[in-house]
Amino acid sequence: MRILYLDIDTLRPDHLGCYGYHRNTSPNIDRLAADGTLFTNYYTSDAPCLPSRAALMSGQFGIHNGAINHNGTAADRRLDGAARGFRDRLYTDSLPGWLNAEHKLHTCYIGGFGARHALWSFYAGFREIHDTGMGGMESAEHVTPTVLEWMERNAGKENWYLHINYWDPHTPYRAPKEFGNPFKDEPLPAWYSQELIDQHMKVPGPHTIQDIGMYSDWSPPNCPRQRGSVKNMDEMRTLIDGYDCGIRYMDDHVGILLQTLEKQGVLDDTIIIVSSDHGENFGELGLYAEHATADQACNRIPMIIRWPKTVGGKVNTGLHYNIDLLPTLAELTAKPVRDSWDGQSYAAALDGQEAGRDELILGQFAHGAQRSVRWGDWLYIRTWHDGYHNWDEEMLFNLKDDPREENNLLRQFPDIAETGRKKYARWHEEMMSTLPPGTEDPKDTVLREGPCHARTDLPTYCERLKKTGRGDSVAKIKARHPEQFK
């Protein structure tokens, strides 16, 4: 058995051709989708980067594995304590550890993720690691040569798992200048307009349209595709084209890998999985070029599985988590499921059968503190820390009618909102009941210590809001965060 996992950072499904995007950003990934199964409602349980990959590798919700923030106590995996065995579950139950233990696969990682976030538990179970050395600032040309060298030595062998991180869709948008812009004459998505830009110019908080550079309009001088702010449609084009160029540039390198496997004579026998850690905000809830919310824009991710000797071109619309991959692989390969996994198999989907959950609970605690419930056409969001965006504590969106999350329908549909509250309460009660006695929800840890990216000099930022025409938002920010103005 050979498995290639393409872990592409910050990849929105709706910017891929196979998910209906009007630009040709992903011909090689589209080819894999045509030969495999494409999942349209696939989500990371916990966003963004560190929590998502902690969930993927452990098969556990962040509330169970403990890692939901980008710094502080809740950026580390929870210890097993007295229950720890000689070989703890961090190794035996992780994605690469399980593949090694149950299938005797040689497991290899190529990329820079573990070093970027110091999430060393991410590496548990890999027998071989190639750190590409730039801590997530790699572009595809820094990663692909190492992959090709590895493939030359190993692709023709039996029994391997190769996990590759590509970073090109992540900020700063970094496709080399000489790559050009294949989308310069193609229209932007229809949602964007000067009217929308003018509306979003009033929105406060980091990564909003005047503060794409987090709490300012700074942009890296060596990355001209990355905007620090957007004031007009020409600048919006630079931003969106920059993201799309990153996807297309990465996809070209995926094509190189596929050609290499084909030359080695193993392409048709290799299981290929394409996914991401999270999406990217491009106007949803007023944010741009960041992954800072527990919503459709941030938690929805692509998932494509091309399984050899199965009929391709299948589309599954069921609700799934990234933590569902481990039990799915277990069922597909007739291996037992680990007790520690929270996931649920969707193996039937690869045979074209219906598979999916009734609802999903999604989290985001690195930029603010949110959990949401995704079911049917609905998204209910509960916010404990708003990241200085002045969001309502509760929001309700009909994603079928309002995929860009513009209209909070909480007051119009109180019964639907109550359904969301109850679904969340049931999930939370179940999760807490399965934690060791006295263990707190890491949400509470984050609220006590603070979300990583919401740690700033708030009074100084409020002065910036006043200078940039957003002074009317300051009173509400002060009322919500009085401890930062003492």
Side-chain angles (χ1 to χ4, degrees), residues 257-414:
L257 304 189
L258 299 181
Q259 290 173 5
T260 301
L261 292 176
E262 193 165 30
K263 289 178 182 177
Q264 293 266 9
V266 298
L267 177 62
D268 292 339
D269 297 324
T270 300
I271 300 163
I272 301 179
I273 302 172
V274 181
S275 195
S276 185
D277 54 342
H278 51 72
E280 187 84 318
N281 303 97
F282 274 115
E284 294 85 0
L285 299 184
L287 275 65
Y288 286 83
E290 191 51 276
H291 22 275
T293 47
D295 68 344
Q296 186 81 344
C298 186
N299 288 66
R300 183 178 177 236
I301 57 176
M303 172 53 91
I304 297 163
I305 300 178
R306 200 214 64 170
W307 199 274
K309 300 180 177 63
T310 61
V311 177
K314 294 186 287 293
V315 176
N316 179 270
T317 60
L319 293 170
H320 306 284
Y321 291 114
N322 59 341
I323 62 173
D324 294 334
L325 179 61
L326 268 164
T328 298
L329 292 175
E331 181 176 351
L332 288 169
T333 58
K335 295 293 183 179
V337 171
R338 295 283 199 260
D339 292 338
S340 69
W341 296 342
D342 292 325
Q344 173 181 301
S345 173
Y346 51 80
L350 273 69
D351 288 327
Q353 302 175 46
E354 292 199 15
R357 295 171 178 263
D358 294 331
E359 69 263 345
L360 305 176
I361 310 298
L362 314 173
Q364 160 70 252
F365 291 93
H367 292 262
Q370 290 182 325
R371 282 195 179 122
S372 63
V373 186
R374 171 76 178 90
W375 81 102
D377 295 334
W378 297 97
L379 179 74
Y380 165 81
I381 305 177
R382 173 68 169 90
T383 299
W384 292 273
H385 190 302
D386 66 349
Y388 318 124
H389 296 100
N390 286 345
W391 294 319
D392 294 336
E393 290 185 2
E394 293 182 287
M395 294 179 280
L396 180 70
F397 300 101
N398 184 311
L399 294 176
K400 181 179 179 181
D401 298 335
D402 180 23
R404 299 295 182 169
E405 303 166 17
E406 295 183 275
N407 302 302
N408 182 4
L409 301 176
L410 193 84
R411 291 190 176 88
Q412 291 94 316
F413 295 95

Side-chain angles (χ1 to χ4, degrees), residues 49-327:
C49 320
L50 183 158
S52 178
R53 291 197 177 94
L56 171 69
M57 290 305 194
S58 67
Q60 295 180 325
F61 292 109
I63 195 172
H64 277 161
N65 69 46
I68 63 171
N69 200 355
H70 274 175
N71 65 7
T73 306
D76 288 321
R77 289 276 302 273
R78 181 179 283 120
L79 299 177
D80 285 345
R84 186 196 190 282
F86 185 81
R87 281 192 170 181
D88 73 339
R89 292 184 307 179
L90 192 66
Y91 174 83
T92 61
D93 295 8
S94 72
L95 175 57
W98 177 81
L99 289 169
N100 181 267
E102 291 289 347
H103 293 283
K104 310 304 178 189
L105 300 193
H106 180 80
T107 51
C108 177
Y109 171 78
I110 300 174
F113 175 74
R116 179 179 180 86
H117 286 279
L119 186 70
W120 308 117
S121 60
F122 174 80
Y123 290 142
F126 282 111
R127 303 300 300 274
E128 183 181 353
I129 299 165
H130 297 266
D131 186 337
T132 42
M134 299 175 68
M137 293 304 293
E138 293 91 335
S139 192
E141 74 271 13
H142 303 119
V143 177
T144 297
T146 303
V147 177
L148 295 179
E149 289 175 12
W150 191 92
M151 285 183 170
E152 285 295 323
R153 296 193 311 271
N154 299 289
K157 299 176 182 177
E158 299 287 346
N159 299 326
W160 50 259
Y161 171 78
L162 177 59
H163 191 119
I164 302 169
N165 261 139
Y166 279 123
W167 297 87
D168 301 81
H170 194 288
T171 54
Y173 303 141
R174 66 193 71 178
K177 183 178 180 181
E178 56 270 23
F179 180 69
N181 182 2
F183 310 111
K184 60 183 174 60
D185 298 321
E186 295 190 20
L188 295 177
W191 186 48
Y192 300 105
S193 66
Q194 187 61 51
E195 181 182 4
L196 181 73
I197 293 171
D198 294 342
Q199 175 187 334
H200 283 173
M201 291 285 283
K202 303 171 185 176
V203 178
H207 306 295
T208 49
I209 205 164
Q210 293 201 62
D211 295 327
I212 295 174
M214 197 166 186
Y215 291 96
S216 72
D217 59 359
W218 181 85
S219 60
N222 60 334
C223 295
R225 300 181 192 270
Q226 178 69 43
R227 294 290 313 174
S229 64
V230 166
K231 299 180 291 297
N232 54 55
M233 287 297 288
D234 287 341
E235 293 176 350
M236 182 68 78
R237 170 171 286 281
T238 298
L239 187 72
I240 303 297
D241 287 1
Y243 180 69
D244 287 347
C245 284
I247 296 173
R248 180 57 191 261
Y249 184 67
M250 169 277 303
D251 185 85
D252 286 353
H253 283 255
V254 170
I256 295 170
L257 304 189
L258 299 181
Q259 290 173 5
T260 301
L261 292 176
E262 193 165 30
K263 289 178 182 177
Q264 293 266 9
V266 298
L267 177 62
D268 292 339
D269 297 324
T270 300
I271 300 163
I272 301 179
I273 302 172
V274 181
S275 195
S276 185
D277 54 342
H278 51 72
E280 187 84 318
N281 303 97
F282 274 115
E284 294 85 0
L285 299 184
L287 275 65
Y288 286 83
E290 191 51 276
H291 22 275
T293 47
D295 68 344
Q296 186 81 344
C298 186
N299 288 66
R300 183 178 177 236
I301 57 176
M303 172 53 91
I304 297 163
I305 300 178
R306 200 214 64 170
W307 199 274
K309 300 180 177 63
T310 61
V311 177
K314 294 186 287 293
V315 176
N316 179 270
T317 60
L319 293 170
H320 306 284
Y321 291 114
N322 59 341
I323 62 173
D324 294 334
L325 179 61
L326 268 164

